[in-house]
Amino acid sequence: MVNVIGLGYIGLPTALMLASHGVEVVGTDYSRKVVDSLSAGKMTFKEDGIEELFHAALDAGISFTTEYQKTDTYIISVPTPYDKFSKKVDPAYVSAAVKSVLAVAPKGAVIVIESTISPGTIDKSVRPVVEEFGYEAGRDVHLVHAPERIIPGNMVYELLHNNRTIGADDREVGERIKDLYASFCQGEIVVTDIRTAEMTKVVENTFRAVNIAFANELAKICRHDGMDVYEIIKICNMHPRVNILQPGPGVGGHCISVDPWFLVGDYPSLAKVIDESMRTNDGMPDFVLGRIYEIMRENGLKDISRVGLYGLTYKENVDDVRESPTLQLLESQARHLAAGLKAYDPFIGEDIVENQYHSLEDFLNDVDMVVIMVKHTQIRENMQQLAGKIVLDCQNIIDLPGVYHI
Ligand code: SAJ
């Protein structure tokens, strides 16, 4: 039996996947609310294909509890927040979960950590917990790092098809955990050591962050001299060895906007390109705010409360607002004492910011200028509704005459 600890965006889909592929699974979360909801057959977040997967797992007998289980395999998938000032990962939840596991685990149990951690975290913050307990890793319990790679919005597909990395102290244990993931994962599964697995995960997200920063910097250069950044990127990408990503209003989510900072925090004098890239991405919401003012001036629009931000989530077709560029922009606006921007997102039902609308019609009635912040399919499909408005399209998805870009 596998006890999956932490039933959030990663732990829950992983638990459901295992359960629906013949593995006996108990999911543990310290939130009574989450456990009650799941036990009552109610999913806790939206995601393509997750409802079907949830019901398949329920049919297969998955159960949910706040208690840690006595079993031979644990998968820990708890949050790893980062400290905004030190730029370092906070491993407190992981350490606490390992401690609770040790209290119930029989000797020989395998503890798999899925949470994203900075390279060296298992040495610095997990092994000491094992030692304090009087155990020796490799003898009394086995440690494994199996970082997730799935992308919100396409999680179910990617869980089934992505390649994976398993880092283990002991090759044989690594192979055993590989077999466990292979119960559902059709991708290639590489077994390596723990430090390498930790590093690959952070490097993958850093690669993407640096490449997005490059695109964002190109957008700024092109804006400066009136060049079309999208046309330039399109042509450059026809080169067989060039693949530039797309500029945007900023980088959100709990991965690409966070993980690269771990490297900056741990290697401040070495991670220079990464540091500068992160600053470039973090500066994009302010850049967009500057563009809003510029376009308002150009159009004689004086009242910022006649401007609306379309999209609050960190990316398209998800209901996740963590580190979202729109929220960053609204914070920045508040700092500039220019509050009043309106906002609307079809995926966000509850009120999370001031001047937020829940009807597209009302939102459009109350603004003269619309800023496209997110590439939601719904925005793309209904772009005709924007005709007659001043549009600043930060995602290059609106095909209407006179649209402005970043
Ligand atoms: N973005 C751009 N320009 C682009 C691509 C993305 O501005 O060309 C922005 C998005 O709008 C969004 C942010 O970047 O605000 C991040 O979105 P994303 O879709 O690139 O990635 P995430 O954060 O949803 O998921 C990433 C994935 N990592 C990689 O693609 C290397 C996923 O595979 C990881 O599992 C996930 O991070 C994670 O949990 O680490």
Side-chain angles (χ1 to χ4, degrees):
M1 187 255 279
V2 178
N3 186 196
V4 177
I5 319 287
L7 300 173
Y9 285 102
I10 302 301
L12 182 57
T14 306
L16 300 179
M17 225 9 127
L18 285 166
S20 62
H21 285 80
V23 179
E24 194 189 337
V25 179
V26 176
T28 297
D29 199 290
Y30 68 15
S31 161
R32 164 67 47 203
K33 202 170 144 215
V34 166
V35 169
D36 284 350
S37 168
L38 295 171
S39 303
K42 236 180 128 251
M43 254 309 286
T44 40
F45 60 87
K46 289 185 212 138
E47 176 69 37
D48 249 13
I50 202 95
E51 278 293 333
E52 293 81 347
L53 182 63
F54 181 45
H55 286 103
L58 286 175
D59 291 344
I62 192 170
S63 61
F64 306 100
T65 170
T66 54
E67 304 293 325
Y68 286 68
Q69 305 297 299
K70 187 180 175 97
T71 187
D72 53 4
T73 310
Y74 297 86
I75 295 181
I76 296 181
S77 191
V78 294
T80 40
Y82 88 114
D83 183 275
K84 281 204 165 93
F85 297 102
S86 71
K87 309 289 188 206
K88 293 197 178 182
V89 71
D90 174 1
Y93 291 103
V94 173
S95 308
V98 171
K99 214 172 179 169
S100 307
V101 164
L102 289 171
V104 294
K107 282 211 172 179
V110 182
I111 306 176
V112 181
I113 291 161
E114 270 224 23
S115 309
T116 301
I117 44 187
S118 61
T121 299
I122 291 196
D123 280 348
K124 275 183 276 190
S125 307
V126 175
R127 290 190 204 281
V129 174
V130 174
E131 279 155 25
E132 267 165 39
F133 193 76
Y135 273 9
E136 194 183 306
R139 190 190 62 195
D140 304 310
V141 281
H142 299 282
L143 297 177
V144 172
H145 182 41
E148 58 79 19
R149 275 178 169 168
I150 52 177
I151 197 146
N154 199 24
M155 281 182 170
V156 174
Y157 177 88
E158 292 210 348
L159 265 174
L160 289 169
H161 298 279
N162 282 4
N163 302 324
R164 301 192 68 114
T165 317
I166 308 277
D169 291 332
D170 181 321
R171 182 97 211 165
E172 190 267 322
V173 172
E175 292 293 333
R176 240 194 296 151
I177 297 303
K178 173 179 169 172
D179 290 346
L180 174 67
Y181 281 96
S183 64
F184 65 85
C185 171
Q186 298 162 30
E188 190 178 329
I189 305 178
V190 177
V191 178
T192 182
D193 60 86
I194 286 182
R195 189 65 179 246
T196 304
E198 287 175 325
M199 187 66 177
T200 52
K201 165 70 198 206
V202 172
V203 168
E204 288 160 10
N205 280 346
T206 303
F207 171 85
R208 199 156 165 86
V210 169
N211 276 276
I212 296 170
F214 178 64
N216 284 336
E217 188 163 289
L218 288 181
K220 287 183 179 173
I221 293 172
C222 291
R223 171 61 42 217
H224 190 72
D225 261 335
M227 294 178 272
D228 181 345
V229 69
Y230 300 106
E231 179 76 354
I232 290 166
I233 290 177
K234 192 173 93 195
I235 296 170
C236 291
N237 282 350
M238 292 168 78
H239 184 289
R241 282 173 299 283
V242 176
N243 188 10
I244 305 169
L245 293 178
Q246 294 299 309
V251 173
H254 193 60
C255 312
I256 294 178
S257 67
V258 173
D259 299 356
W261 283 124
F262 299 164
L263 293 176
V264 177
D266 285 343
Y267 307 97
S269 61
L270 300 173
K272 296 291 186 201
V273 171
I274 303 169
D275 189 4
E276 205 48 57
S277 299
M278 294 303 280
R279 288 175 204 281
T280 299
N281 291 339
D282 284 356
M284 289 312 287
D286 261 339
F287 182 75
V288 172
L289 189 57
R291 281 292 286 150
I292 292 175
Y293 286 128
E294 229 169 63
I295 295 164
M296 285 175 69
R297 268 198 304 278
E298 215 177 299
N299 288 275
L301 189 64
K302 295 207 168 59
D303 183 1
I304 191 118
S305 70
R306 298 293 299 171
V307 179
L309 305 177
Y310 198 167
L312 280 160
T313 60
Y314 88 89
K315 70 175 195 180
E316 68 278 13
N317 306 331
V318 299
D319 60 359
D320 188 342
V321 294
R322 289 178 298 173
E323 323 289 331
S324 121
T326 308
L327 296 187
Q328 292 176 43
L329 196 156
L330 288 169
E331 258 174 45
S332 172
Q333 177 207 215
R335 276 199 306 277
H336 288 100
L337 301 174
L341 276 168
K342 296 188 159 66
Y344 167 73
D345 192 306
F347 283 83
I348 307 296
E350 70 280 20
D351 265 324
I352 57 166
V353 294
E354 278 178 38
N355 308 315
Q356 185 184 337
Y357 285 69
H358 296 284
S359 137
L360 174 60
E361 210 184 344
D362 295 347
F363 170 69
L364 291 178
N365 274 338
D366 284 1
V367 298
D368 300 312
M369 175 171 166
V370 178
V371 184
I372 307 294
M373 296 296 288
V374 185
K375 306 191 272 239
H376 289 314
T377 310
Q378 185 182 331
I379 303 183
R380 219 191 276 261
E381 283 174 353
N382 299 307
M383 70 172 87
Q384 288 308 329
Q385 288 169 297
L386 302 172
K389 303 282 178 201
I390 304 163
V391 177
L392 166 55
D393 178 7
C394 301
Q395 297 284 1
N396 195 30
I397 56 167
I398 304 297
D399 189 13
L400 289 173
V403 167
Y404 291 89
H405 293 103
I406 50 174

